[in-house]
Amino acid sequence: MQNVIKDRIFMVTGAAGGVGRAVVKQLAEQGAKIIATDIAENVHDLAKDFPEASLVTVVGDVSKSSDVENIFNVGEEKFGPVESLISNAGYMIGKALHETSEEDWDAVMSGNAKSFFLCAKRALPNMLKAGKGSITATGSISSVVGLPSQAAYCASKGAVLQLVRQLAVEYAANGIRVNAVGPGAINTPFLTRYLAGLPDPEAGAKAVKDAHPMKRWAEPEEVATSLIFLASDNAAFVTGHILMVDGGYVAG
Ligand SMILES: NC(=O)c1ccc[n+]([C@@H]2O[C@H](COP(=O)([O-])OP(=O)(O)OC[C@H]3O[C@@H](n4cnc5c(N)ncnc54)[C@H](O)[C@@H]3O)[C@@H](O)[C@H]2O)c1
């Protein structure tokens, strides 16, 4: 199969986390030009960890438009306009609605929905000029089903999916495809933090695995492969789609 990744310019948000790092690794192996960004300073470690990669790392908060502007400016200076945006940064506060403060709500909606809006908004003008591009978001099973103690998170990931669908329709004729992946639980620091907050983390881990028909959670590499597929020309006729990477979770 032709390598449709080589020399293509990708931006990956949440690149210091479990899934983002796996995306950067796989893109690097396939010869992409990568703008890797995260709010965490250790995003810079990617350059040391993947010395062969064509990579620029930028620290910034993708829920703030001034940071998003800076991230894109730094990336564009190095490689040129972003051709494929992978909007993967995410944040969860695990609470029922009656326990969710206004600050919790704003933080989760900003971290997941507003960050996607801001990055897509900044990427689109250059994609429109080029007449092509792809935008791929990390949604969740929480984009499509309600889950206990995830009031703001489910709302924010549902918003991500609806924005994916809206953008797909809006920009299809401009050669821009917009999709999402919908992971179940993934073996990343995000999941570790979630389990650590439960009264019995070990029982919680078993319950999380058992909730997936395949009786396990995903490794970040499995989610990364699907993100890259949707972002690449291998998915040239796929738009407005959420690819569930959930071991069958929402099939039941
Ligand atoms: N791990 C899971 O079980 C799971 C399940 C479904 C969906 N997801 C989604 O997968 C995506 C990747 O998460 P992960 O599992 O790799 O978690 P992770 O916590 O390992 O990585 C998330 C990264 O996003 C960064 N980030 C958060 N808010 C940011 C902001 N405002 N600006 C810039 N960077 C920010 C964090 O610093 C972190 O490095 C997220 O969108 C998450 O919601 C995760």
Side-chain angles (χ1 to χ4, degrees):
M1 198 194 274
Q2 193 195 345
N3 183 344
V4 291
I5 305 294
K6 189 164 170 31
D7 292 332
R8 193 176 177 120
I9 303 163
F10 285 80
M11 175 177 286
V12 184
T13 76
V19 172
R21 184 185 163 83
V23 171
V24 168
K25 182 169 188 287
Q26 291 181 18
L27 287 176
E29 286 163 358
Q30 294 174 73
K33 295 177 175 163
I34 310 158
I35 303 153
T37 184
D38 203 288
I39 199 167
E41 290 279 338
N42 67 352
V43 72
H44 294 311
D45 292 349
L46 293 168
K48 279 180 256 151
D49 297 344
F50 308 118
E52 306 298 319
S54 202
L55 174 74
V56 61
T57 53
V58 199
V59 174
D61 179 346
V62 284
S63 67
K64 293 200 175 115
S65 57
S66 54
D67 282 23
V68 169
E69 185 60 29
N70 180 59
I71 292 162
F72 273 78
N73 288 345
V74 171
E76 286 170 354
E77 177 128 332
K78 171 89 175 168
F79 293 128
V82 172
E83 297 172 307
S84 291
L85 167 67
I86 297 185
S87 176
N88 166 73
Y91 180 64
M92 179 163 86
I93 295 173
K95 290 186 183 173
L97 193 75
H98 69 279
E99 297 162 333
T100 300
S101 68
E102 186 175 350
E103 290 72 28
D104 293 337
W105 179 267
D106 287 345
V108 175
M109 292 303 282
S110 291
N112 297 328
K114 186 181 175 193
S115 59
F116 178 41
F117 151 66
L118 289 174
C119 291
K121 183 177 160 73
R122 179 60 178 75
L124 274 163
N126 282 325
M127 292 183 183
L128 285 168
K129 232 180 273 169
K132 61 181 180 180
S134 72
I135 297 174
T136 315
T138 304
S140 170
I141 52 175
S142 311
S143 297
V144 295
V145 296
L147 291 171
S149 301
Q150 294 192 14
Y153 188 73
C154 283
S156 70
K157 290 292 187 180
V160 167
L161 176 56
Q162 272 303 86
L163 188 54
V164 160
R165 291 176 171 143
Q166 195 283 332
L167 295 176
V169 170
E170 185 95 58
Y171 298 110
N174 301 101
I176 300 165
R177 296 181 306 99
V178 189
N179 292 290
V181 295
I186 319 164
N187 186 14
T188 69
F190 185 100
L191 179 63
T192 311
R193 283 192 302 273
Y194 170 75
L195 294 174
L198 298 177
D200 182 348
E202 208 172 307
K206 183 171 180 333
V208 168
K209 285 181 182 170
D210 283 350
H212 298 70
M214 291 180 80
K215 305 292 177 204
R216 68 172 178 91
W217 47 52
E219 293 306 317
E221 292 74 19
E222 295 175 297
V223 179
T225 306
S226 292
L227 278 166
I228 293 170
F229 164 69
L230 290 171
S232 79
D233 288 352
N234 288 329
F237 202 51
V238 182
T239 198
H241 182 65
I242 182 163
L243 174 53
M244 302 312 299
V245 186
D246 67 351
Y249 193 108
V250 305

